[in-house]
Amino acid sequence: MERSSAVSRPIRQKHPGKKEVDEKQMDGKLQLEQGPTDEDQKVMAGEALDRRNIWEPSVYYTLGKESFYFAGHEISIRESMDTYGALIWPGAIALCQFLENNQQQVSLMDKAVLEIGAGTGLLSVVASLLGAWVTATDLPDILSNLTFNLLRNTKGRSRYTPQVAALTWGQDLERDFPSPSYHYDYVLAADVVYHHDCLEELLETMRHFCRPRSQTTLLWANKIRFRSDLRFTESFKRSFNTTLLVELPQQEVRIYKATARE
């Protein structure tokens, strides 16, 4: 489902959890400190439960499902309260809006696009509807709901059938996604930074797919909740050439564009 310079069909992919980091980081290398605190867990749990306070007016909520309107289509996303990966977070909505509203700046038509930490698949659905050849990845236990949402919202609507694959951040990247064979024009990531223990692996995965001379562009959107999010952002900036595309103070969401440092 990757198509572009050198794109072969997707293999197995996987994706993980995450790691808290230390502020003193050089060359994008994260130093781990203690894991997420109870307070961090409460913040995320509270956000997950407060699903009725949707900031995007084009979204209406029903139990277990959210509906959106992007790229000329109504999109219905099935959620689950069982895991954070099966919920829609503000970064994904913000990046969907950005992609729809800035198609001259970021054209996904006939581009090979990889989403890491795809979760419910909303962002991958929108990318598909905008003409991209999409591979959506996440942890194995997320893939069933992800596949369901992708197929129900893109069948008969998209130029390419989106692909789904397991990807665990930092694990077997060169084996499952060898760089000569797997090239993507864009890598998308939304709300992949929060109170998990795999931030270092996440950054490693971003570097793997967005490497020097790859001409790959990484678009990362995230709500900034914790100090660890800011520390990750600093390491992210040291690892890539970055541009802050959008900042939404009310939603505490930022969208970054990044390319590899040559």
Side-chain angles (χ1 to χ4, degrees):
M1 196 200 119
E2 305 82 58
R3 177 194 187 162
S4 168
S5 339
V7 182
S8 64
R9 61 184 127 58
I11 263 185
R12 304 179 267 140
Q13 302 177 327
K14 309 160 194 166
H15 148 213
K18 316 152 186 194
K19 282 179 183 171
E20 294 249 328
V21 301
D22 185 284
E23 237 164 331
K24 302 176 181 177
Q25 244 322 88
M26 299 303 296
D27 302 323
K29 174 74 174 176
L30 301 179
Q31 292 183 351
L32 306 183
E33 55 181 31
Q34 74 274 12
T37 65
D38 290 342
E39 190 60 34
D40 292 343
Q41 299 275 3
K42 289 177 182 177
V43 169
M44 292 297 292
E47 230 181 289
L49 291 171
D50 194 20
R51 298 303 293 138
R52 294 183 182 276
N53 294 331
I54 301 297
W55 55 268
E56 211 325 284
S58 66
V59 180
Y60 51 96
Y61 182 78
T62 57
L63 185 61
K65 183 183 78 170
E66 285 198 56
S67 295
F68 303 80
Y69 192 84
F70 286 115
H73 296 281
E74 183 177 343
I75 300 169
S76 179
I77 297 294
R78 185 176 69 183
E79 295 184 292
S80 169
M81 291 296 289
D82 295 338
T83 170
Y84 294 138
L87 292 172
I88 298 168
W89 300 98
I93 300 174
L95 189 48
C96 288
Q97 291 177 320
F98 176 82
L99 292 173
E100 181 179 42
N101 295 332
N102 296 273
Q103 295 182 53
Q104 289 190 327
Q105 181 181 354
V106 179
S107 174
L108 298 185
M109 183 64 68
D110 296 324
K111 297 297 194 299
V113 172
L114 175 76
E115 183 180 6
I116 58 175
T120 63
L122 173 63
L123 182 55
S124 285
V125 167
V126 172
S128 293
L129 295 178
L130 292 174
W133 192 336
V134 175
T135 300
T137 69
D138 211 307
L139 289 170
D141 60 348
I142 301 294
L143 298 189
S144 176
N145 191 57
L146 172 59
T147 301
F148 175 84
N149 284 327
L150 280 173
L151 294 181
R152 86 187 294 188
N153 289 290
T154 62
K155 188 175 181 179
R157 296 176 168 183
S158 59
R159 290 169 66 87
Y160 307 101
T161 301
Q163 306 296 302
V164 174
L167 170 63
T168 300
W169 298 333
Q171 293 188 21
D172 302 318
L173 294 173
E174 196 54 51
R175 186 194 72 185
D176 292 347
F177 296 91
S179 51
S181 303
Y182 285 83
H183 173 270
Y184 300 92
D185 298 295
Y186 289 94
V187 173
L188 307 180
D191 279 314
V192 290
V193 176
Y194 53 99
H195 74 284
H196 58 63
D197 294 322
C198 299
L199 291 176
E200 185 175 343
E201 290 85 348
L202 171 59
L203 194 59
E204 178 186 348
T205 301
M206 289 176 166
R207 290 198 205 102
H208 176 79
F209 290 110
C210 188
R211 58 181 64 203
R213 295 176 294 282
S214 68
Q215 296 186 314
T216 298
T217 297
L218 171 63
L219 297 176
W220 169 45
N222 225 93
K223 179 173 180 177
I224 305 301
R225 303 173 177 88
F226 312 112
R227 286 178 299 172
S228 57
D229 298 354
L230 294 172
R231 291 192 291 268
F232 178 89
T233 301
E234 291 309 307
S235 293
F236 176 80
K237 290 177 179 179
R238 285 191 292 269
S239 295
F240 301 100
N241 297 313
T242 64
T243 302
L244 178 61
L245 296 175
V246 176
E247 184 165 16
L248 304 171
Q250 184 178 353
Q251 292 80 44
E252 302 175 282
V253 170
R254 300 176 187 176
I255 301 177
Y256 287 95
K257 172 185 175 182
T259 55
R261 291 186 180 275
E262 300 296 335

